[in-house]
């Protein structure tokens, strides 16, 4: 993908206790690849505070987000996913996105939110460990894959220790990097492979 190319924005869900580190690789390289990043919250008029203490003023309210206006919805982990139903509206929005054929990427606690919504019952997926999702009472255990990140159609899932693999699936899915270039990007950021940097530079010249 060429930087500067006009694409529908990617929407990053934001809420209190959001896990800062889980989306950074994905959003940074999506932005460099021509995708605008817009933050979406339950209430666009109220700033949220991440688990790292960073305050974010949302761009958009969740109720105003339409799948047809987006390239992707990203849901990161947060303590709130396991503390009640406050974030359930984001899982319901994910259902609307997938139903409209617009991809969703969920990592860490957000996978549990999707499990509670029934979105993992018939899709290949991963998370932190199988027992974490089993505790939600979902019916998709047979579709659990022990992998760093999993893509099944329009749904990407990953566990909390795999932000780079999560980004790999996101960037590949939206065509920011593909093939050998995507592999080199992953080796650079996941494995600190300096030869991968040379491959990236050569491919982008």
């Amino acid at each position: 993908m060429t930087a500067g190319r006009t694409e529908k924005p990617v929407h990053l869900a934001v809420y209190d206790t959001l896990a800062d580190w889980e989306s950074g690789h994905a959003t940074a390289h999506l932005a460099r690849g021509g995708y605008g990043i817009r933050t979406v919250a339950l209430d666009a008029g109220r700033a949220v505070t991440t688990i790292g203490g960073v305050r974010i003023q949302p761009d958009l309210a969740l109720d105003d987000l339409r799948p047809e206006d987006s390239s992707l919805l990203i849901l990161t982990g947060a303590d709130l996913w396991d503390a009640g139903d406050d974030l359930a509206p984001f899982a319901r929005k994910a259902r609307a996105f997938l139903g409209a054929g617009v991809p969703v990427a969920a990592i860490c606690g957000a996978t549990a939110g999707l499990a509670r919504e029934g979105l993992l019952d018939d899709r290949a997926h991963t998370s932190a460990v199988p027992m974490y999702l089993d505790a939600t009472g979902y019916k998709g255990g047979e579709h659990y894959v022990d992998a760093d990140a999993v893509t099944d159609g329009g749904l990407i899932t990953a566990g909390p220790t795999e932000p780079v693999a999560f980004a790999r699936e996101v960037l590949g899915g939206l065509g920011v990097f593909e093939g050998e270039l995507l592999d080199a990007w992953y080796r650079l950021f996941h494995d600190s492979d300096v030869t991968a940097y040379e491959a990236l530079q050569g491919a982008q010249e």
Side-chain angles (χ1 to χ4, degrees), residues 36-67:
I37 307 297
R38 299 198 70 199
T39 53
V40 57
L42 290 174
D43 180 0
R46 186 182 76 83
V48 301
T49 303
T50 73
I51 200 168
V54 177
R55 284 170 54 83
I56 299 173
Q57 183 63 50
D59 296 315
L60 184 69
L62 185 65
D63 284 346
D64 295 328
L65 175 60
R66 305 186 308 166

Side-chain angles (χ1 to χ4, degrees), residues 88-143:
F90 290 97
R92 291 194 290 271
K93 185 65 70 170
R95 176 179 292 281
F97 265 62
L98 292 170
V102 181
V104 172
I107 184 172
C108 188
T111 62
L114 298 191
R116 294 185 188 97
E117 182 64 19
L119 295 175
L120 305 185
D121 287 351
D122 55 4
R123 293 177 171 90
H125 60 275
T126 194
S127 184
V129 289
M131 296 80 77
Y132 175 59
L133 294 185
D134 288 343
T136 69
Y138 87 132
K139 301 175 182 178
E142 65 183 297
H143 300 292

Side-chain angles (χ1 to χ4, degrees), residues 168 171-172 175-187:
R168 179 195 65 211
L171 299 175
V176 175
F177 298 124
E178 297 176 316
E180 293 182 0
L181 191 59
L182 180 62
D183 178 66
W185 180 89
Y186 180 74
R187 287 188 290 111

